[in-house]
Amino acid sequence: MATTVASLVLSTGITSAVLQVLVDRIATITQTKITQFKQLQSQFLELGATMTKAKALVDDVENKKCFPEACRILLEDIKSVVLDADDLLDEIDMFLENRTDKNQVSQITQMFPSSFRFNIPSELRKIHKELGDLVDKLEGYCMMNLGQPQMAAPTPILPSTSLVVGSSIISRDPDKKKIIEMVLSDQGEGGGNVSVIPIVGMGGIGKTALAQLVYNDPDVVRNFDFKIWVSVSFSYDVVMITKSIFNSVAEQRSGLMSEFRGVFELSDMWKYFELSHNEIHIQLQKKLRGKKFLLVLDDMWNENPRDWDQLKLPFQVAAQGSKILMTTRSQIASSILSGAPAYLLNTLSHKDCWTIIKQTAGLGDAHENELIGLEIAKKCKGLPLAAKVIGSVLRYKYGERKWGALLKCELWESPEHGNHIYPALKLSYDNLSSYLRRCFTYCSIFPRDHEFEKDDLVQLWAAEGFIQAQGRQEIEDVGREYFGGLCSRSFFQASDDDPPKYKMHDLVHDLARLVSTTVSFSMEDNVSNILPIPRHARYSSLLCQDIKPSTLEVFHRYEKLRTFLLLSEHASNLKQVPYDFFIKLGRLRVLNLSHSGISDLPDSVKNLIHLRYLNLSHSSIKRLPKSLANIYGMETLKLKNCCELLQLPDNLKNLIKLRHLDFDGRVISSMPMDVGKLTSLETLPAFIVGKHIGYQIGELKNMMFLRGSICITNLENVANSVEGEAAMLHEKQYLKKLELEWNEMGSQTVHQEVLTSLKPHVRLTELRVTGYCGLIFPNWISDSSFCKLERIHLDKCHFCTLLPSLGQLTALKYLLIQDMHDLENIDHLLCGSTDTFPSLETLTFRDMPKLKIWSGINENDMPHLIVLSIDSCPELVTLPSLCYLRSLEMLEINRCSELQSLPREGLPLSLTCLIISESDILKERCEVQGADWDKIKSIPNIMIDDEVIPMEGRQN
């Protein structure tokens, strides 16, 4: 491995991050949980002091960025002992918490041997001695090496300049054109004279090169009085940057630097250094007053708004149209500096990367190894930096053998590649907080191109203890902030799905594996690890097509594993987990056996006392062992698409720390008894209401943290409004989607009382009511206080004769009303007063067998309606005036056999698509020369009974 990459792997900061977490944790336990145990308190204080000392030494060593193998081994051993200490603290923490909880006595008996309490002091002494010995060795090493010559430090990343060879930048003309248009525009953000244009993208993607192109464009040069280029990088110093800008402006103003306009000479800056910051600000403001300037802040990292506010003070007097062009890897920095959306720079195509390789290597346009070259270019994954490095390698070494070897190797295996590409990417990593570093390196266990969901990854981080509590903020909320921080710095890339999925760019993924190589590994089919599997591995994943119980036994040698993820979606041939698997890997905190063929778990799962996260989704699991409910610390239990799992364990109520219980409500026949004791639950996709105590809807009463969506089904088992009110849905402020479902008919009066009592919190965004038998809906369903409600489904409400006045819901975008057998008339009551449904975009009426008349749309109603669908309303005779729907683009009328005509006033001019099917009267009127032909002939797309009516000949 290249020297620079080796140093990059070692100087990860993970050991320091782990130590910081443990120091904080020991302080918490000492101050809150063992105050009555003087001996333990003394031991904890001593251990905390040793860890604090260890952190100081580790910080010093890791900050040097270069150290020999002996030091690396010491750091790895310290990290291993600290993680062992974390496991011990985990057990002590659980023991102390349970010891004071009378309801958990049975769990203590099963989780901890009777001697555990008496072994705590000796276990603490053992850990303390191991750590102390290692700290003494590290301290001795540091003292011994004071003043000694160090290993060669990695080659630093040089500051950028404004000079550029334009011909060397490939496929950025569209980007250059757009940025130049923004730079030359006189429009300022927020009405000010100076606006900021942020160019955002991951390291090596070409942000600086694009800025150089723009900076040197002739039109740009002519447009500004002053042009200044400042390479910011990590050393963000407001005073130094201000002096650099002042120096550049002063030199340009005096004409001393006409040849190198905007590029300052550091040697001349001494004459301005004696000025105070205040004097520099005043002098710079004088020189910029009324002048139009372009300032490039290249490689901006600073995310402190106060620093930016200080820097920009002198710019306020500049002329209209002045611009600040900023390049950054951080969307956080971008949002702080600019009110405008960031300009996100995308990766290049494989073909463009090949062009850069040829250009850098000095090869001709056509090359004999063109096909191999294109395959090599794919290794760049769209990064110009990687293409340039490969091109420089091939400049003098482009024999056929060299090309073939380069195609087979990975980028980190070549000194030329590793010494340039990964250090550049690692700058982003070095700029992360210690907590974010741990979260990022954990992602190395995912295979390349693996897509993950935000909340699932946050739950994994939480299970591993990576997320630090912040006041009263929920752990997952803090974790989502962590995720956003990594995403905004280009570590994760979002898909176009809704909701989006995420993955890492291949080279970022390689970086994750490099910096986590001492703690993580991934076992994949036909894919070797970047480095040998570490002896102290803690996090692992398995991605193989042919998985047998014997495959799992390979992992027995890594007894300290905390994470085991089975990531293959084709692991159905794994029918069982060996009994010893959970005996050998007793420190697991995260276990994912999803997409496997296992039908049950061995009872040895009770050995996993540290387990926080268990995922059995998409498996053949039929039952869960009762002992699972004795794993006191379980936080996440995922059972999605487990079609053979018909019930949950009866004693699930014991998992009082459970925050996420994810299962299929359509498969599970009933809820476990007293599930309401799980008051920490945030995820509960369904609640199946029972009739008896312990199963009633009132179990939801104390689940105040429920968020996301929930379907409350079997509501026919709610006897009256008192039982309904006991659920306290109106206090569940984090719920976004609520489904209320009756599966059996019952008393109309009871249904009305119960639905009235189930009023949710006004922050709800989606509501679905199914199987309701009342004649009318309660007033709350159309209450204007539901100002965030965007979607409503009213389904199978067979006996309703009146629709609620939903037009008063200002945020409603989607409304579906279907399968209402007794509804005969839709009138002005649906809309309510004037100017109603201000946000509605899609409206659907479906399966209304008795609906005859729809009326009551007035001018200014539904101003943003785009799609209107009327389906299976066989008695419908008339439609309201649709001409007022000025945004309507699509009108679909299906199976409305009695509909007499289109509205007399005609259809809105905005309509672009009309579909009519199985509506014979209307079909006849809409044929060419039919009574309604003139109303539709100008609509671009018309389909009647699956026949497209072409535009040609419509005017005849």
Side-chain angles (χ1 to χ4, degrees), residues 497-774:
D497 300 332
D498 186 21
K501 292 187 176 181
Y502 299 83
K503 66 178 182 179
M504 293 184 286
H505 185 280
D506 281 6
L507 296 183
V508 173
H509 179 268
D510 290 345
L511 174 67
R513 290 203 168 178
L514 284 167
V515 297
S516 66
T517 189
T518 60
V519 290
S520 305
F521 70 93
S522 177
M523 193 175 293
E524 303 177 32
D525 281 328
N526 303 318
V527 177
S528 61
N529 285 285
I530 293 178
L531 294 172
I533 296 176
R535 58 194 175 101
H536 297 310
R538 304 285 171 154
Y539 317 112
S540 68
S541 64
L542 175 61
L543 179 61
C544 296
Q545 298 305 314
D546 185 21
I547 301 176
K548 303 180 179 69
S550 58
T551 309
L552 300 184
E553 292 174 3
V554 175
F555 290 82
H556 287 181
R557 69 189 70 170
Y558 308 108
E559 295 182 351
K560 296 182 179 181
L561 278 181
R562 292 179 168 209
T563 289
F564 176 83
L565 303 182
L566 179 59
L567 296 177
S568 174
E569 294 189 359
H570 307 285
S572 56
N573 56 335
L574 178 63
K575 303 296 184 184
Q576 63 180 3
V577 178
Y579 187 89
D580 284 352
F581 188 73
F582 298 141
I583 302 295
K584 296 289 186 182
L585 303 181
R587 301 193 189 190
L588 283 178
R589 298 186 179 204
V590 171
L591 176 61
N592 183 343
L593 296 172
S594 61
H595 295 92
S596 66
I598 60 172
S599 58
D600 58 18
L601 291 174
D603 194 53
S604 58
V605 71
K606 66 185 178 184
N607 190 57
L608 304 181
I609 63 173
H610 297 276
L611 195 65
R612 303 285 187 271
Y613 175 104
L614 176 60
N615 189 348
L616 298 170
S617 298
H618 303 277
S619 70
S620 301
I621 195 79
K622 293 181 179 178
R623 68 173 187 88
L624 296 173
K626 290 185 177 180
S627 58
L628 187 69
N630 292 322
I631 300 179
Y632 172 78
M634 184 82 75
E635 297 171 351
T636 299
L637 180 58
K638 289 181 172 288
L639 302 164
K640 292 291 289 184
N641 293 315
C642 294
C643 299
E644 299 184 50
L645 182 67
L646 302 182
Q647 66 181 62
L648 299 172
D650 290 336
N651 55 349
L652 197 70
K653 63 184 178 183
N654 292 341
L655 300 180
I656 60 172
K657 290 193 174 183
L658 198 65
R659 292 201 299 270
H660 306 284
L661 176 58
D662 205 358
F663 61 93
D664 287 318
R666 305 295 178 187
V667 177
I668 301 296
S669 57
S670 65
M671 303 300 293
M673 186 175 182
D674 296 331
V675 74
K677 292 184 177 181
L678 304 181
T679 57
S680 296
L681 274 182
E682 297 179 20
T683 301
L684 184 67
F687 184 87
I688 305 153
V689 181
K691 294 181 179 180
H692 304 294
I693 295 176
Y695 300 92
Q696 295 173 335
I697 194 172
E699 293 295 312
L700 294 172
K701 177 179 180 178
N702 295 318
M703 296 183 184
M704 306 309 295
F705 301 107
L706 288 178
R707 63 178 66 220
S709 66
I710 186 172
C711 174
I712 304 176
T713 187
N714 288 14
L715 283 170
E716 62 273 10
N717 291 328
V718 182
N720 51 53
S721 61
V722 175
E723 287 188 11
E725 288 171 356
M728 298 185 72
L729 295 186
H730 64 284
E731 292 194 2
K732 295 177 175 29
Q733 58 181 316
Y734 305 113
L735 273 181
K736 299 300 181 185
K737 178 181 178 181
L738 175 64
E739 296 184 53
L740 300 173
E741 184 176 281
W742 286 259
N743 291 300
E744 293 180 10
M745 291 174 45
S747 164
Q748 293 177 346
T749 302
V750 172
H751 277 227
Q752 287 178 200
E753 287 181 3
V754 170
L755 184 56
T756 301
S757 70
L758 295 178
K759 178 181 178 180
H761 195 278
V762 293
R763 291 185 181 178
L764 199 71
T765 61
E766 183 171 350
L767 173 69
R768 180 166 187 161
V769 179
T770 303
Y772 172 64
C773 289

Side-chain angles (χ1 to χ4, degrees), residues 353-354 356-363 372-398 402-403 405-407 409-412 414-418 420-422 507:
C353 287
W354 171 228
I356 294 174
I357 291 172
K358 288 191 294 184
Q359 187 180 78
T360 310
L363 307 176
I372 298 178
L374 282 169
E375 290 300 312
I376 292 174
K378 291 179 181 179
K379 292 179 176 290
C380 302
K381 300 300 177 181
L383 287 192
L385 172 63
K388 289 178 181 178
V389 171
I390 290 176
S392 65
V393 173
L394 295 176
R395 179 179 290 276
Y396 303 110
K397 305 175 183 179
Y398 53 88
K402 179 67 178 180
W403 285 69
L406 186 58
L407 180 60
C409 80
E410 297 292 352
L411 292 184
W412 62 81
S414 167
E416 297 91 341
H417 303 162
H420 293 85
I421 298 170
Y422 293 105
L507 296 183

Side-chain angles (χ1 to χ4, degrees), residues 33-260:
K33 297 184 179 180
I34 58 169
T35 53
Q36 71 273 34
F37 303 106
K38 298 302 181 184
Q39 182 186 2
L40 278 183
Q41 193 173 35
S42 175
Q43 285 187 281
F44 268 86
L45 287 170
E46 291 174 0
L47 181 59
T50 302
M51 285 196 174
T52 301
K53 180 179 179 181
K55 185 178 185 305
L57 290 170
V58 169
D59 285 345
D60 183 57
V61 172
E62 290 188 329
N63 286 336
K64 286 183 169 61
K65 304 294 183 185
C66 51
F67 33 81
E69 179 70 8
C71 200
R72 182 194 69 80
I73 294 174
L74 270 177
L75 289 181
E76 187 176 336
D77 288 343
I78 288 174
K79 178 169 57 184
S80 180
V81 172
V82 172
L83 289 172
D84 288 343
D86 191 31
D87 288 335
L88 177 60
L89 290 181
D90 202 41
E91 295 176 19
I92 293 172
D93 206 15
M94 285 189 288
F95 180 80
L96 292 173
E97 284 188 21
N98 286 332
R99 191 171 179 273
T100 59
D101 189 342
K102 296 179 181 179
N103 296 324
Q104 301 299 326
V105 173
S106 62
Q107 286 179 254
I108 299 171
T109 303
Q110 297 189 47
M111 290 177 64
F112 300 102
S114 58
S115 61
F116 181 79
R117 175 185 173 183
F118 303 102
N119 287 337
I120 290 176
S122 61
E123 291 295 324
L124 282 172
R125 281 193 295 271
K126 179 182 175 183
I127 287 286
H128 191 193
K129 185 179 186 308
E130 289 182 23
L131 181 61
D133 291 345
L134 291 171
V135 169
D136 289 343
K137 288 181 182 178
L138 185 60
E139 186 176 30
Y141 173 85
C142 292
M143 294 297 295
M144 183 177 62
N145 286 275
L146 278 175
Q148 297 295 319
Q150 299 294 314
M151 292 174 56
T155 304
I157 305 296
L158 295 175
S160 65
T161 75
S162 63
L163 301 180
V164 64
V165 180
S167 61
S168 67
I169 300 176
I170 304 300
S171 195
R172 290 300 189 197
D173 285 343
D175 297 305
K176 174 186 173 184
K177 183 179 179 182
K178 290 176 184 176
I179 296 293
I180 287 177
E181 287 177 358
M182 296 164 71
V183 166
L184 296 181
S185 169
D186 283 336
Q187 190 70 28
E189 291 299 330
N193 291 343
V194 182
S195 57
V196 181
I197 303 169
I199 303 175
V200 180
M202 64 182 293
I205 204 169
K207 303 181 295 297
T208 298
L210 177 59
Q212 289 167 336
L213 278 178
V214 173
Y215 188 87
N216 289 281
D217 182 81
D219 291 337
V220 172
V221 172
R222 287 191 294 268
N223 194 61
F224 293 95
D225 297 312
F226 298 118
K227 286 170 57 257
I228 311 109
W229 182 286
V230 178
S231 182
V232 181
S233 196
F234 283 115
S235 55
Y236 187 95
D237 184 319
V238 176
V239 178
M240 290 296 295
I241 293 174
T242 305
K243 288 182 176 180
S244 299
I245 296 170
F246 175 74
N247 184 67
S248 181
V249 171
E251 296 291 358
Q252 290 178 59
R253 193 177 179 93
S254 64
L256 295 178
M257 297 188 63
S258 56
E259 281 189 68
F260 305 101

